[in-house]
Amino acid sequence: QVHLVESGGGSVQGGGSLRLSCAVSGFAYSSYCMGWFRQPPGKEREGVAAIGSDGTTSYVDSVKGRFTISQDNAENTLYLQMNSLEPEDTAMYYCAAAPEKCIAVVEDFFGYWGQGTQVTVSS
């Protein structure tokens, strides 16, 4: 059974940094895509970043240059380093997994989801 457990969220002032982690278990595929999504209050969930089993990464324009997605295969952990945080980054952040190479960072592509971790950025 696949489990994704996020951690690392919290409250931070604008300009600050946070690192989110996603512990992954029960997910063993040679080709896969891991992603981070977020859902701001009152808005739809959106894709933030993704990383494939080949290490290829992609980002939504609003976080390019500020966020970095990475993975530690030995620790079965996905990370999202978030720098220069802005109030607009306030959201519930979710990690997600798909057992195939990255095609699109959209909800329907990912079949496995964590419960989320809250990030709040104050101005």
Side-chain angles (χ1 to χ4, degrees), residues 2-5 22-28 34 75-78 95 97:
V2 178
H3 289 286
L4 306 176
V5 180
C22 175
V24 183
S25 61
F27 186 78
M34 302 294 297
E75 296 294 329
N76 294 321
T77 303
L78 178 72
C95 68

Side-chain angles (χ1 to χ4, degrees), residues 43-56:
K43 297 184 179 180
E44 294 185 352
R45 190 153 55 182
E46 65 170 351
V48 175
I51 185 166
S53 47
D54 62 356
T56 301

Side-chain angles (χ1 to χ4, degrees), residues 8-122:
S11 297
V12 64
Q13 285 194 327
S17 298
L18 285 173
R19 188 177 79 158
L20 306 183
S21 300
C22 175
V24 183
S25 61
F27 186 78
Y29 296 90
S30 58
S31 182
Y32 60 82
C33 185
M34 302 294 297
W36 285 100
F37 286 73
R38 66 185 180 186
Q39 186 167 19
K43 297 184 179 180
E44 294 185 352
R45 190 153 55 182
E46 65 170 351
V48 175
I51 185 166
S53 47
D54 62 356
T56 301
T57 60
S58 63
Y59 299 90
V60 68
D61 285 347
S62 60
V63 306
K64 284 180 179 177
R66 300 188 299 123
F67 290 10
T68 303
I69 188 171
S70 63
Q71 57 188 346
D72 185 332
N73 291 331
E75 296 294 329
N76 294 321
T77 303
L78 178 72
Y79 298 102
L80 185 68
Q81 178 66 43
M82 306 186 295
N83 299 328
S84 302
L85 283 162
E86 304 167 352
E88 292 74 22
D89 297 316
T90 294
M92 183 70 79
Y93 283 72
Y94 301 87
C95 68
E100 56 185 302
K101 67 177 183 179
C102 294
I103 296 176
V105 190
V106 295
E107 282 191 74
D108 290 348
F109 179 72
F110 293 85
Y112 302 100
W113 293 84
Q115 293 300 305
T117 185
Q118 178 68 38
V119 171
T120 302
V121 184
S122 59

